[in-house]
């Protein structure tokens, strides 16, 4: 029998095994894919956790930006500027006509003209006209007072104007003078401006407030916990973030 | 390895690095047969070989970003298969009893497709070696490890590696002579 050397043996196996190919069972790839899939899912859930966290941060910063404190202080400034900027008197319509017109939003443009008329009337200083003027003006002033009183608790800034008016009110009854009438008229027209300007602003302010409270309302329906996930309060300068409860992270304003 | 095959495998590397399942499957389909061949040499049967193949490919896809392009991608994958086979052997070492050669002969062999009968017979001979002999023979003769490397990988001495190789060779020679009889000489030229 021919003996086989180690070299011959090694070369035989090395050469033949180099071309060795065996088809594995079809199920093997499925197992590999499953094993890889599980690990991939783990990664996916991990990343989706961070996606959720990032989403919450985006929503919160958007909320804080939207409900950031709004400045409402400019109101008086605007009114004063208007008073100062009353242009030279020019009568375009009889006083009675102007004053007897019911004031509505369409007349906003004419409001600027009202003080002008009064200013020129002052120069005329005719007693007959004064009485008439007073008669016309009086009921309207009282109306205004009522309107202001109605707005009083909603619009704190208006209170000052109202107080001015109340102070000047007795004068109008005691002395029937041009000055009083004109003062009243001016006050009235200024007030009308103020009221309308403030109405516009407070409407905006109320809207912002109502968004904060709307969010609170919706959250309260969904989140039964004492510390809501997010809570707003209506502060002096609009809605503020009052509380935040993200489970681990909690924030509560105690002001 | 023909050039097209090699290009196909290299082109799948980037997709595998990005964790694309499609690229991973294509790589597996391209190499499964060859790598199964590697695993078969180290395993005692096709079931064990498939386990090693599965673990090996999972490792390949997990560690593919560590492949720096030193040597061929396929060679790198092949080394992972061999290392996985060695790990499996070492894990099983404690629970395995020394198996007598005659008992090994009686073990039922699973059936699989093979390109040639002679190759199948040679594979059968190696698989019938006891675990230690089979590993040392494969590592030294086919993979080209030194005895020092084998000793380190298997946690044995170099002398043990040498004697196991010597014993494996003589068993294989004996079986070949038995199987082929007088005709063996024409097979190996």
């Amino acid at each position: 029998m021919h003996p086989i050397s180690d070299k011959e043996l090694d070369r035989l196996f090395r050469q033949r095994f180099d071309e060795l190919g065996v088809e594995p069972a079809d199920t093997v790839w499925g197992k590999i894919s499953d094993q890889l899939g599980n690990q991939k899912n783990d990664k996916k859930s991990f990343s989706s956790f961070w996606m959720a966290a990032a989403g919450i941060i985006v929503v919160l910063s958007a909320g804080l930006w939207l409900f950031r404190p709004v400045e409402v202080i400019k109101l008086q400034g605007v009114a004063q500027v208007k008073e100062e900027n009353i242009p030279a008197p020019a009568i375009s319509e009889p006083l009675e006509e102007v004053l007897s017109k019911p004031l509505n939003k369409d007349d906003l443009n004419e409001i600027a003209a009202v003080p002008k008329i009064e200013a020129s009337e002052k120069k005329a200083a005719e007693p007959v006209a004064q009485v008439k003027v007073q008669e016309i003006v009086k009921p309207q002033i009282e109306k205004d007072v009522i309107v202001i009183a109605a707005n009083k608790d909603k619009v704190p800034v208006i209170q000052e104007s109202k107080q001015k008016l109340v102070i000047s009110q007795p004068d109008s009854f005691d002395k029937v003078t041009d000055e009083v009438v004109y003062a009243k008229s001016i006050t009235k027209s200024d007030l009308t401006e103020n009221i309308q300007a403030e109405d516009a602003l407070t409407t905006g302010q109320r809207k912002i407030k109502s968004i904060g409270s709307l969010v609170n309302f919706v959250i309260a329906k969904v989140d039964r916990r004492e510390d809501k996930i997010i809570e707003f309060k209506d502060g002096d300068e609009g809605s503020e973030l009052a509380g935040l409860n993200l489970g681990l992270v909690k924030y509560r304003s105690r002001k | 390895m023909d050039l097209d095959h090699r290009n196909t495998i290299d082109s799948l590397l980037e997709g595998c690095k990005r964790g694309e399942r499609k690229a991973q499957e294509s790589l597996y389909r391209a190499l499964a047969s060859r790598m199964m061949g590697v695993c078969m040499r180290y395993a005692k049967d096709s079931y064990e070989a498939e386990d090693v193949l599965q673990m090996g490919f999972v490792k390949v896809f997990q560690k593919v970003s560590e492949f720096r392009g030193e040597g061929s991608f396929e060679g790198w994958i092949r080394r992972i298969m061999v290392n996985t086979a060695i790990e499996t052997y070492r894990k099983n070492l404690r629970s395995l009893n020394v198996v007598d050669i005659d008992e090994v002969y009686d073990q039922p062999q699973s059936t699989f497709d093979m390109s040639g009968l002679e190759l199948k017979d040679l594979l059968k001979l190696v698989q019938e070696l006891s675990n230690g002999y089979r590993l040392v023979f494969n590592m030294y003769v086919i993979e080209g490890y030194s005895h020092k490397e084998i000793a380190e990988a298997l946690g044995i001495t170099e002398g043990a590696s040498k004697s196991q190789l010597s014993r494996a060779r003589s068993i294989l020679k004996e079986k070949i002579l038995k199987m082929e009889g007088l005709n063996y000489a024409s097979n190996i030229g």
Side-chain angles (χ1 to χ4, degrees):
Chain A
M1 215 174 261
H2 180 80
I4 308 169
S5 71
D6 286 355
K7 251 190 178 174
E8 279 176 324
L9 185 87
D10 290 2
R11 196 181 62 204
L12 170 69
F13 278 98
R14 205 177 295 135
Q15 283 178 346
R16 301 313 307 272
F17 279 173
D18 188 51
E19 61 189 66
L20 177 62
V22 182
E23 282 303 322
D26 293 339
T27 53
V28 176
W29 169 249
K31 290 178 193 169
I32 293 169
S33 183
D34 284 352
Q35 222 170 322
L36 292 168
N38 289 337
Q39 286 154 357
K40 203 164 195 180
N41 284 343
D42 290 347
K43 274 186 186 172
K44 208 175 177 182
S45 63
F46 184 71
S47 68
S48 65
F49 169 79
W50 286 110
M51 290 282 278
I56 289 170
I57 288 169
V58 167
V59 167
L60 285 178
S61 28
L64 288 171
W65 188 82
L66 280 173
F67 301 117
R68 70 192 189 283
V70 181
E71 282 193 31
V72 210
I73 307 158
K74 287 179 183 174
L75 282 175
Q76 285 175 322
V78 173
Q80 281 167 2
V81 166
K82 287 222 172 183
E83 255 178 282
E84 285 164 11
N85 287 346
I86 293 168
I91 302 171
S92 55
E93 281 180 90
L95 181 61
E96 290 83 354
E97 272 183 45
V98 175
L99 290 176
S100 61
K101 272 185 188 172
L103 278 162
N104 54 39
K105 280 183 182 176
D106 297 332
D107 291 327
L108 265 173
N109 292 336
E110 289 180 32
I111 288 166
V114 174
K116 298 171 196 169
I117 297 160
E118 292 155 0
S120 59
E121 279 289 313
K122 193 179 176 181
K123 282 178 186 171
E126 287 175 24
V128 185
Q130 289 159 10
V131 176
K132 275 185 187 172
V133 167
Q134 202 193 356
E135 279 171 0
I136 297 158
V137 170
K138 240 187 193 172
Q140 285 182 345
I141 290 166
E142 280 165 5
K143 239 192 239 169
D144 287 338
V145 171
I146 292 161
V147 171
I148 293 158
N151 283 333
K152 182 189 167 186
D153 37 356
K154 289 176 191 169
V155 193
V157 189
I158 291 176
Q159 286 173 2
E160 289 176 34
S161 311
K162 189 214 155 205
Q163 280 165 358
K164 277 184 205 163
L165 184 66
V166 170
I167 290 161
S168 60
Q169 187 87 14
D171 295 342
S172 69
F173 290 114
D174 300 333
K175 309 169 191 171
V176 185
T177 61
D178 287 1
E179 282 77 13
V180 173
V181 173
Y182 295 132
K184 275 181 159 292
S185 301
I186 289 163
T187 316
K188 176 194 153 283
S189 58
D190 282 350
L191 271 174
T192 318
E193 268 178 56
N194 273 352
I195 289 161
Q196 278 165 348
E198 295 216 11
D199 269 350
L201 279 159
T202 44
T203 315
Q205 198 182 346
R206 212 177 296 146
K207 198 178 163 192
I208 292 168
K209 276 184 184 175
S210 68
I211 290 174
S213 49
L214 178 71
V215 171
N216 283 346
F217 177 75
V218 174
I219 295 289
K221 290 282 173 195
V222 183
D223 194 347
R224 298 284 180 197
R225 293 175 297 179
E226 195 183 338
D227 291 342
K228 309 293 182 199
I229 188 160
I230 189 162
E231 201 173 339
F232 291 97
K233 67 174 180 189
D234 291 336
D236 296 337
E237 301 184 322
S239 288
E240 292 171 5
L241 187 67
L244 201 61
N245 181 7
L246 302 175
L248 292 173
V249 186
K250 283 184 187 179
Y251 161 77
R252 180 148 284 273
S253 147
R254 294 294 177 196
K255 285 176 191 174
Chain B
M1 193 200 310
D2 63 306
L3 204 64
D4 282 350
H5 179 71
R6 186 167 189 160
N7 285 340
T8 307
I9 290 163
D10 288 347
S11 71
L12 293 169
L13 174 62
E14 286 308 313
C16 289
K17 280 188 176 176
R18 287 191 295 268
E20 291 168 14
R21 186 52 52 87
K22 205 137 195 141
Q24 290 173 340
E25 183 169 0
S26 300
L27 185 77
Y28 172 80
R29 300 275 175 225
L31 291 175
S33 168
R34 295 174 71 85
M35 293 309 144
M36 184 63 177
V38 174
C39 297
M40 285 293 273
R41 286 193 278 115
Y42 281 88
K44 66 177 188 295
D45 57 35
S46 58
Y47 301 111
E48 194 181 294
E50 280 174 359
D51 285 348
V52 173
L53 183 75
Q54 183 189 329
M55 285 186 281
F57 263 106
V58 170
K59 262 189 222 170
V60 165
F61 295 133
Q62 284 171 340
K63 296 184 173 183
V64 69
S65 55
E66 295 171 18
F67 175 63
R68 300 284 171 231
E70 296 153 5
S72 77
F73 188 33
E74 183 173 341
W76 181 77
I77 294 168
R78 189 191 177 100
R79 279 197 297 281
I80 287 182
M81 295 299 160
V82 171
N83 288 336
T84 308
I86 293 168
E87 281 169 28
T88 308
Y89 162 75
R90 293 197 65 170
K91 261 185 226 164
N92 294 338
L93 201 56
R94 283 179 225 106
S95 60
L96 283 175
N97 298 318
V98 178
V99 184
D100 192 63
I101 301 298
D102 294 330
E103 285 174 25
V104 172
Y105 249 116
D106 296 333
Q107 272 192 352
Q109 292 296 313
S110 55
T111 56
F112 40 78
D113 288 333
M114 291 275 282
S115 49
L117 180 68
E118 290 157 6
L119 185 54
K120 183 186 171 183
D121 290 336
L122 292 177
L123 181 61
K124 194 181 170 189
L125 291 180
V126 170
Q127 286 188 318
E128 284 168 357
L129 291 171
S130 69
N131 291 315
Y133 294 172
R134 188 169 63 242
L135 252 81
V136 173
F137 179 79
N138 265 307
M139 291 175 80
Y140 186 89
V141 175
I142 315 297
E143 261 69 54
Y145 284 79
S146 70
H147 281 298
K148 194 184 172 192
E149 287 167 326
I150 294 168
E152 281 172 7
L154 299 184
I156 55 174
T157 62
E158 277 186 58
S161 173
K162 279 176 188 169
S163 70
Q164 287 198 30
L165 175 67
S166 168
R167 185 82 186 107
R169 273 176 177 153
S170 60
I171 291 167
L172 289 172
K173 281 177 195 171
E174 191 185 326
K175 285 185 179 176
I176 287 171
L177 290 174
K178 217 186 222 175
M179 201 165 64
E180 299 295 328
L182 290 170
N183 295 327
Y184 90 97
S186 61
N187 283 337
I188 60 172

